[in-house]
Amino acid sequence: MQPLTPESAATTLLEAGNRPPATVRSDVVEELDTLLSKHLSTCPDAVEKAAVQYSREHYARMTGLLPDEMVRRLHEETTMLTAANTRRIDIRVTVTGNTPRPGSLPNSLFASHSTLFTALYHVPAFRGLLSDIAGAPVFDCIYPDEQITGTHQTQVGDTRGWHWGDHEFAWIFISEAPAPEHGGLLQCVPHTPWNKQDPAVNRCLTQGQIRTYHHESGESYFFKTDTTLHRTMPIQTEGITRSIVNLTYSGVSDLLSEKTDETTDAVSLD
Ligand SMILES: [Fe+2]
C-alpha cells in the first residue's frame, strides 16, 4: 500500500466526493463530459473571468461556459419535468424568518424522470469547472435529497424570500425567465454569515450591498449560498413563468461541520 501523502489524500477525497448513484446513466455522464471538455478548451478566458467575478461577488455568471447544445437539451428536460410534476407549496419556512416559498420540483422528481441533470451533477469536467471558478473543491451535497431540486413559479407574487443555503455551493440553470420588468430577479448580499438562532434578515440587509442580477432563459450561474443572503423578487405580471433547476454541492466546511437541515425538512412537510 502506497504511503498517504497530502496529494494522494486530496485526490482520494475528491474522488470520494463525486459518487454517482447506480441510477445515473454513465454513458450520458461520459457524453456530457466530452461535450463540455471540448467546449471549455475553446474558452479559457471565460473560465478565468468567471473565477474573478466569483472571488469578488461570490457569484459567477456562467453564460457561454456551457455549449449551446447542452443548454438546449437542459431546457427541454426542464420543460418535461415541470409538466410531469409541478406542485405548489404554500408554506412559510420559519428558520429564515417566515419568508414565503413558491412551487418546487423535489429531488424525487429528478430521480425518477431526469437523465441529463442527474448525469450533469456528476460530470467530471463540470465539477472541475465549478472548482476552478470557486477556487475550492466541490463535493456531492451531503444530503442526497437536496442535490437536485427545482422551482417553477407561475403566479403573481410567487417569490423565494430572503434566505441562505444549507450547503456551500449552488449552480442554477435558468430554464425560463421573465424580462426584468416582470420580476423574478435574483438579489444577493454576499459575505453575510447565517446565524440560525437569530437570522436577523433585515439587519443583514443593512450591513452589505444588495446586488441584483437578471438572467435570460438558458443562462446559468454558480454562487456561494451559505454566506450569501439572497432572494428572487416576486413575479409581478399575470401569465409569466419562471423555472429553474438547482444543483447543490457541499464544500469542505460542510463535510467538517455538523449540519442541520431545517429548510428542506420544512419544505417536505406538504
Ligand atoms: Fe437559495
Side-chain angles (χ1 to χ4, degrees):
M1 190 173 158
Q2 294 288 327
L4 194 65
T5 64
E7 291 78 12
S8 63
T11 302
T12 302
L13 179 62
L14 281 173
E15 285 170 358
N18 184 359
R19 305 279 282 267
T23 49
V24 170
R25 292 222 350 226
S26 57
D27 60 323
V28 180
V29 172
E30 277 178 38
E31 185 205 350
L32 294 180
D33 193 57
T34 304
L35 192 63
L36 181 59
S37 300
K38 202 169 146 195
H39 178 73
L40 289 174
S41 69
T42 66
C43 53
D45 292 352
V47 178
E48 197 182 322
K49 195 175 154 199
V52 169
Q53 184 179 29
Y54 186 93
S55 71
R56 289 181 180 148
E57 303 170 29
H58 281 173
Y59 161 100
R61 191 179 295 264
M62 289 180 58
T63 308
L65 287 170
L66 302 190
D68 291 344
E69 181 192 336
M70 191 182 285
V71 170
R72 180 182 55 74
R73 288 167 62 186
L74 292 172
H75 172 72
E76 283 173 4
E77 185 168 282
T78 309
T79 304
M80 178 274 288
L81 290 162
T82 54
N85 191 22
T86 294
R87 60 178 192 163
R88 293 195 59 79
I89 304 175
D90 291 317
I91 62 163
R92 289 178 179 272
V93 184
T94 52
V95 77
T96 49
N98 288 313
T99 49
R101 186 155 185 153
S104 78
L105 308 174
N107 183 262
S108 56
L109 173 69
F110 291 88
S112 60
H113 287 76
S114 164
T115 303
L116 287 176
F117 285 107
T118 49
L120 180 64
Y121 191 91
H122 296 283
V123 165
F126 185 65
R127 195 69 69 92
L129 172 63
L130 299 182
S131 287
D132 286 346
I133 291 172
V138 174
F139 304 107
D140 292 347
C141 175
I142 52 181
Y143 291 103
D145 285 353
E146 295 182 43
Q147 290 183 353
I148 311 178
T149 55
T151 300
H152 186 210
Q153 297 162 309
T154 56
Q155 295 182 12
V156 169
D158 270 353
T159 186
R160 176 72 167 97
W162 290 107
H163 66 286
W164 289 267
D166 286 309
H167 310 283
E168 184 167 354
F169 305 113
W171 176 77
I172 311 291
F173 177 71
I174 312 284
S175 183
E176 200 167 344
E181 58 270 29
H182 301 309
L185 301 169
L186 171 71
Q187 292 194 301
C188 292
V189 186
H191 311 290
T192 49
W194 181 10
N195 178 348
K196 292 190 179 183
Q197 277 66 51
D198 178 19
V201 166
N202 289 349
R203 205 174 315 138
C204 289
L205 291 173
T206 69
Q207 291 168 355
Q209 179 189 355
I210 300 175
R211 294 179 184 274
T212 304
Y213 304 94
H214 175 253
H215 304 94
E216 304 285 349
S217 301
E219 288 200 286
S220 61
Y221 61 92
F222 182 55
F223 78 127
K224 182 167 166 38
T225 73
D226 59 343
T227 58
T228 300
L229 182 59
H230 58 281
R231 72 160 182 164
T232 54
M233 293 171 68
I235 300 293
Q236 295 167 358
T237 310
E238 209 68 56
I240 290 298
T241 295
R242 179 178 181 274
S243 53
I244 64 122
V245 174
N246 181 335
L247 306 193
T248 293
Y249 294 96
S250 290
V252 171
S253 62
D254 296 319
L255 305 189
L256 294 173
S257 62
E258 289 282 326
K259 285 283 177 186
T260 57
D261 207 14
E262 293 91 343
T263 308
T264 295
D265 287 349
V267 171
S268 64
L269 293 172
D270 62 324

